[in-house]
Amino acid sequence: MQLQPPPENIDTLSPSVLRRFRRKVLANYTRWCDYLNLKPNVWLKKEKEYSVKSREYSVSEGGEGRRELLYVGLYLLIWGESANLRFMPECICFIFHNMCGELNKMLEDYIDEKTGRPVLPSFTGENAFLIHVVTPIYETVRGEVEKSRNGSMPHSTWRNYDDLNEYFWSRRCFEKLKWPINLGSNFLITSDKVVGKTGFVEQRSFFNVFRSFDKLWIMLVLFLQAAIVVAWKGGGDRPWEALGDRDIQVKVLSVFITWSVLRFVKAILDGVMQFKLVSRETLWLGVRMVLKVVVSAVWIVVFVVFYVKIWNQRNDDRRWSAAANRKLLTFLEVCLLFLAPEILAVALFIVPWIRNFLENTNWRIIYMFTWWFQSRSFVGRGLREGLVDSIKYSLFWIVVLATKFCFSYFLQIKPMIRPTKDLLDLRGVSYEWHQFFGDSNRFAVGLLWAPVVLIYLMDLQIWYSIYSSIVGMGVGLFNHLGEIRNMQQLRLRFQFFASAMQFNLMPQEQLLNQRRSLKSKFKDAVHRLKLRYGFGRPFRILEPNQVEAHKFALVWNEIILTFREEDIVSDHEVELLELPPNTWNVRVVRWPCLLLCNELLLALSQAKELVDAPDKLLWYKMTKSEYRRCAVIEAYDSAKHLLLTIVKMNTPEHSIVTTFFQEIDNAINIEKFTKTFNMLTLPKLHAKLITLIELIIKPKKDVNKVVNALQAIYEVATRDFFKEQRNMDQLIVDGLAPDSPISAGGLLFENAVQLPDLENDNFYRQARRLHTILTSRDAMNNVPVNLEARRRIAFFSNSLFMNMPHAPQVEKMMAFSVLTPYYNEEVMYNKEQLRTENEDGVSTLYYLQTIYADEWKNFLERMRREGVKSEEELWTVKLRELRLWASYRGQTLARTVRGMMYYYRALKMLAFLDTASEIDIREGSLELSSMKSSDGGTVAGRGLSRADSTVSTLFKGHEYGTALMKFTYVAACQIYGTQKAKKDPHADEILYLMKNNEALRVAYVDEVPVRDRTEYYSVLVKYDQELQREVEIYRVKLPGPLKLGEGKPENQNHAMIFTRGDALQTIDMNQDSYFEEALKMRNLLEEYRSYYGIRKPTILGVRENIFTGSVSSLAWFMSAQETSFVTLGQRVLANPLKVRLHYGHPDVFDRFWFLTRGGISKASRLINLSEDIFAGFNCTLRGGNVTHHEYIQVGKGRDVGLNQISMFEAKVASGNGEQVLSRDVYRLGQRLDYFRMLSFYYTTVGFFFNTLMISLTVYAFLWGRLYLALSGVESSVANNANTNRALGAILNQQFIVQLGLFTALPMIVENSLELGFLAAIWDFITMQLQLSSVFFTFSLGTRAHYFGRTILHGGAKYRATGRGFVVEHKTFADNYRLYARSHFIKAIELGLILTLYAGYSPVAKGTFTYIALSISSWFLVFSWIMAPFIFNPSGFDWLKTVYDFDDFMNWIWFRGGVFAKPEQSWERWWYEEQDHLRTTGIFGKLFEIILDLRFFFFQYGIVYQLGIAAGSKSIVVYLLSWIYVVVALGIFSTITYARGKYGAKNHIYYRLIQFLVIILGSLIIISLIQFTHFEFLDLLTSLLAFIPTGWGFLLIAQVFRPILKNTWIWETVVSVARLYDIMLGVIILIPVAFLSWMPGFQSMQTRILFNDAFSRGLQIFKIIVGKKSKVEK
């Protein structure tokens, strides 16, 4: 915190700064005391009374500063040593409150009543605080975690971090825990005795979705009911016409009965799920639960009674009489009473500040009034936004809901009414089976409506996606995103860059007032408008001698230099892009050559056209373009300087050249250039000059040719250039010819030419630039060649014209830290990793060389400059450089460190520019120019060190200290100590990174063995450049092992104490940053000073760029999807929806705000699997504000292979499944206002729940159609067009959702905004051709499976995805293990249903009808089965397919042992796949059994279709079919028994039994054919019936595994399960084998999977390898 203006005595700590800081650090403590009605133990003036209003003692300006400093220091010391307790902020408040009380007594010289001596602390000695305070509570946390059995126990049976923290939300913590801490307190019990949960009980159930977001579901159910009531009447298409009927009006009022029933269900769920919270201390909570159930039931009775009275009166009177209307009025009055709380909520929504005041007030009377509606909670109060923000997001949702309800009524509900009536009126249905429920079609109606209702319940997600895309595009346009998309648009704006950079990136003292006036804001807006659109031509003031021009050149050239260091531009491109210093007396700004290309040629053509025009007109035409004006002047000045340089001084030739240019200058000055000189001669001079320069810049110089070229120029100039011809005498008189004649055969310049030495690189660099200006004919739109370089230049350029806060000086900016958690990922690729080839002969280095071909070329160019003669030397002399080059293109720690250290580099340069005088900068530019000359190039001789730059040579020394004061980078390398002890190469690589990056610090956990125990320490180390070794900075003792909950948040938490500053940026291991973006960091931090709505930000959201998109088509799909989420999605969430959270992105946290509120993530085992988003939940619940800013970006890598992506999707889906159970989601769902709740739901757990509903829609539709087909109902309504038309409308929606088009829309919109509409459409079409829809449909299945299974059974776990390059082929066994249960089984089930439907449905007899009804479902089946092979490298290679089958069978039959891994043994994998059934509860098992019963329906439906049934509809047919199952099981058991007994020793007996079984089976079949209606086709058909039955039995047997495991039945179950997996594997492998056998399909698949360069490279590589092998033979 700084003062504005600074104090007079800078060595004195200002009281106001300290006061502000104390209030910020202790704000949560003060709020906690207020909540518990305690007086804070912050005594700042004991003479003054305690102020209830401010909740603190008043402040005096005297000696109270030291006391304030003591309080702040005490809190931070407690926090720093609290270890895992830092996740429990109110626990720290409790500790601080008690210790602060003791501190006060000591400061005030209190006397201890017991001892009669001055008061002393409750505990003293070494590590006393750790031993007596932290350790007991830590051991409690540890004991509870052990009870969880690694997360396998239900959440309700153990206390997590939140439970333990919420214990301190009531005053019982003082009564029970006491101070000093009572070790016998129930709170600290860690034995087997269960201590009750606090505040919330996490129960595993899908009902959590309804319970947390009941307002949403009530709205959807009530509208559905009302819409059906209105649509049922028929008549006109307009619903308001039907509502004119009083009968319909009254029927619609029945929604109040439904509403009361839903409230009753909510009350029951609250009671059932939260009853464990009730104890002797929380009896009132139990009372409220019971009362809510009773009151809800009473409302149901009241509504039913009054509603029935209305209809009774109406029916008695046979019309709507006055009495009936009175009954109706009474019912409406009851409804009004029922709605009273909702009306009050709406009123408070309109005036949100009153709602916030009431919720934040701790008056008992307010608590009494709100007790009925919600539990009293420390968090979740005062969450309402300001009126303007409320209006914005309310309007958004009103439009979305209006669209959804109109669509639902007219296109979902109304079309279904007619077929529903037809089905209900249908009589005499000829059922194909034994019908249990008589002649009723209600079940069929339910099946018909099931997919409709599911789509109705989830399609709000689609409408949200559509409208958020539109709004996001509007907000993006308003923020000026995408205005500079390419190099052409860059040319138009570049001339304003210096002004824009000066305005935004350079501090301006007059603009740094924190409270800026309206006038200054208006001036800012006007200035930005001028800069953005060139009004007033601000660039005109930029002249080459101005300091702004030098500053701009320094910054721009440093950016281009970093590009060269990163090898994304070549040396030649550096020359085209840089802003060279003004060394040749050029009178104008020397724009990059990139901008001056073709301009001189256009000027020459203009001069040729305007031969006789006056000078003013010609110059006016040329100066219309700033770049043309500069090109002409620079070309002239440079040519003049060049000629005068290469011609020796004090020679007649030098005098002639000087005189000639003097004549030209004189003609220009008197505006008679066109009258004096012949414009038609300029092209000749231009051509001769080009010839001369080409001779000069050649590596091998030929002076004679240079002399000839000079002679040619001289002749053209003297003979043709002057309009008035001059003879030799006149030329001699005018000084344009030598006085003495030249010797015979000699030339004029023969002895006068002296070319500069080759070491003078600056001269030849400028000569090359002049040559470029003279010769360039194209627009250079493809410079630089590298697409990433172009994108970064375009984004940075565009961002300079976006709205951002003004930059303060580096000394006055907020200090910040960056924190990266690291465990054991790659630091740098080693030699073996780069050279090792996969089975296709593709190494990682070859892969990178092919994908990044231009960058590899630039790298080799740079290495050749550094002395490398051949590529073989890269593996010896430059191995470290080679490893770094490869590592910077992967997702490694080295890449992340390089990116983050750009902050340090940028701050040093900005600190220099802040303090440097105009003379320093001017002289510095000249010095840099001379350095380039002496060094032999821009980056010649420079290595890959990113900690320094060319500008650093100008530093005065203070820049390093200033940057280190403002920036710290901490890498939390948790096991670095263990790695050092084991001599792990990772440790050496981390040490190398510290050595080469001055601001890098490494935090790790040190485990020190001490006698019979291990001590744990948090340690911070750095590399000391003077001592040339690693040195320890801090060591903080821990109470025990670091990891109790989830690993990553624990790692962040332990390292957070080593961060500094006001802000903290969280960076993951797969992220990167850029130098040009680092320049804007101080602007971003200024956002903390601004209000967004009614609050200042606490999290600054930062835009991301996904840099892995070029690796493969999958990476591109993932990149496009992720990009739209982190840009457009986050933009809309922040504004206007105001529900942006934290998603693990490079967000910047208000460090002290989060430090006192639980940290930057949550760490409870399993429930906080997606740890990062809980920081966003916590921030919102505690009154924080999250914003999003897109003028700065950070790079991010994503998974690039299907298996990696699927594991990532599984982790995220499982994490969202756990979020559904969490208290955070419940509280946000209940305490946010209605519209923010909708935004929150549909952008977090609602997205995944609706994904699950999409899958359920497919199941509901197909099972419903199968029922209608097999039952015979469909035959009766086959000709009913209404039914098929209605189903068509539903299926169209399902297909749109299934293809992921609602996910694709944000991608198209965002690409349109930033790349242009045509480019976006082209990308979308290309994606479709590369089968992106297959990928998105496959991902849908992944999310649905893991989300549903996590909610139902648990089993979520962290899945490490590897983040490597995917160039190796995954075996069939690998894919089967990963996708068998999530995709393959489901796809085969759906495929079986579709096949049966095709065979038995009369509707499906028509090919077109069947295709229309089933194409989307078949596409889903195809995607779920084939995607793992389509997106698998060499997935359709015939030899690999054959090897894969052998490998699969070996895996199936490998028995293994106790230590066998799932990758080795099918049986081990099969047991692992059932782990979730071991940990699930009784309801989970029951639900699983109910779901498994669907497989028995196949048998029931199909047996009546067999010929042997002879058309019988008797139940006996179904019962007899079970004989088939028993016989099949008997045969299988017999053969299994025989194989086990005789297979090894008496093999002949085994064969005999097999023979007898075959003979017996054949006799049975012959008998059936002879004596019954059995048909041979029945054998194949019956397989479709009985195989699913066996699968159903297997699934149910797995549920009963604890009972069956020790019986003989279990061995049979295992054997049958193995047989089923073999059969399923063969079914899946058949299409793969067929496509592998087809010629050309493998190359097509490779082209789809990888980009063109790699595809071509791979084929070429195979040819080369083939040739090599032939030669060797």
Side-chain angles (χ1 to χ4, degrees), residues 490-508:
L490 177 73
R491 287 168 59 87
L492 299 175
R493 290 281 187 92
F494 198 89
Q495 49 196 333
F496 312 128
F497 272 20
S499 301
M501 192 177 288
Q502 181 70 23
F503 184 71
N504 284 317
L505 299 187
M506 300 303 160
Q508 301 177 42

Side-chain angles (χ1 to χ4, degrees), residues 1097-1362:
T1098 47
I1099 296 180
L1100 301 176
V1102 178
R1103 174 193 174 103
E1104 288 178 312
N1105 166 62
I1106 312 302
F1107 56 70
T1108 48
S1110 62
V1111 174
S1112 67
S1113 60
L1114 278 180
W1116 184 32
F1117 304 155
M1118 197 71 180
S1119 169
Q1121 183 179 356
E1122 188 78 4
T1123 298
S1124 68
F1125 173 72
V1126 300
T1127 54
L1128 184 142
Q1130 303 301 306
R1131 185 185 312 144
V1132 176
L1133 291 180
N1135 179 33
L1137 300 185
K1138 298 295 290 182
V1139 290
R1140 189 192 187 278
L1141 303 170
H1142 170 61
Y1143 301 91
H1145 297 166
D1147 293 350
V1148 183
F1149 291 82
D1150 183 333
R1151 181 169 168 268
F1152 289 108
W1153 196 92
F1154 279 91
L1155 175 151
T1156 58
R1157 290 167 176 84
I1160 55 175
S1161 54
K1162 285 193 174 185
S1164 295
R1165 191 81 178 111
L1166 209 63
I1167 195 76
N1168 297 142
L1169 181 65
S1170 299
E1171 70 288 326
D1172 293 318
I1173 197 173
F1174 283 91
F1177 293 162
N1178 189 41
C1179 174
T1180 304
L1181 283 169
R1182 291 177 179 269
N1185 189 14
V1186 188
T1187 58
H1188 184 66
H1189 308 279
E1190 296 194 84
Y1191 52 80
I1192 186 171
Q1193 67 174 357
V1194 172
K1196 189 178 182 73
R1198 269 293 171 222
D1199 306 293
V1200 296
L1202 186 65
N1203 290 11
Q1204 291 179 337
I1205 292 171
S1206 295
M1207 286 190 286
F1208 172 75
E1209 297 270 14
K1211 180 208 167 190
V1212 173
S1214 299
N1216 271 269
E1218 292 292 336
Q1219 288 171 36
V1220 169
L1221 320 181
S1222 69
R1223 66 193 71 206
D1224 304 78
V1225 167
Y1226 174 77
R1227 285 169 180 159
L1228 286 168
Q1230 294 295 302
R1231 292 177 180 267
L1232 289 175
D1233 64 65
Y1234 186 73
F1235 294 120
R1236 281 182 81 200
M1237 179 271 295
L1238 291 177
S1239 303
F1240 171 68
Y1241 173 75
Y1242 283 105
T1243 53
T1244 51
V1245 296
F1247 174 79
F1248 287 87
F1249 187 74
N1250 289 323
T1251 302
L1252 176 62
M1253 300 246 311
I1254 295 168
S1255 296
L1256 293 178
T1257 303
V1258 180
Y1259 272 86
F1261 168 71
L1262 292 181
W1263 276 104
R1265 297 307 289 182
L1266 183 64
Y1267 171 86
L1268 296 176
L1270 294 179
S1271 66
V1273 174
E1274 197 170 60
S1275 301
S1276 304
V1277 295
N1279 298 322
N1280 190 327
N1282 291 324
T1283 306
N1284 292 326
R1285 194 182 307 117
L1287 284 171
I1290 302 308
L1291 288 171
N1292 290 337
Q1293 296 173 57
Q1294 179 226 318
F1295 191 45
I1296 288 171
V1297 174
Q1298 186 179 300
L1299 286 178
L1301 294 184
F1302 76 104
T1303 333
L1305 181 64
M1307 285 192 288
I1308 297 172
V1309 170
E1310 183 62 22
N1311 284 344
S1312 299
L1313 177 64
E1314 302 204 24
L1315 304 177
F1317 180 72
L1318 291 178
I1321 295 298
W1322 176 250
D1323 280 354
F1324 178 71
I1325 293 172
T1326 307
M1327 279 187 179
Q1328 298 308 311
L1329 293 175
Q1330 291 189 322
L1331 304 182
S1332 65
S1333 293
V1334 173
F1335 166 72
F1336 289 129
T1337 304
F1338 187 83
S1339 295
L1340 180 147
T1342 305
R1343 290 193 294 264
H1345 173 78
Y1346 286 100
F1347 178 77
R1349 193 171 81 171
T1350 301
I1351 292 181
L1352 195 60
H1353 303 299
K1357 59 183 177 182
Y1358 180 82
R1359 291 173 167 85
T1361 57

Side-chain angles (χ1 to χ4, degrees), residues 1590-1621:
W1591 183 253
F1593 273 125
L1594 275 178
L1595 295 178
I1596 293 173
Q1598 290 173 17
V1599 177
F1600 289 103
R1601 175 184 168 190
I1603 300 172
L1604 301 176
K1605 191 171 183 180
N1606 297 322
T1607 65
W1608 62 270
I1609 299 175
W1610 188 247
E1611 293 183 10
T1612 305
V1613 169
V1614 175
S1615 299
V1616 173
R1618 179 181 280 108
L1619 192 64
Y1620 265 89
D1621 274 315

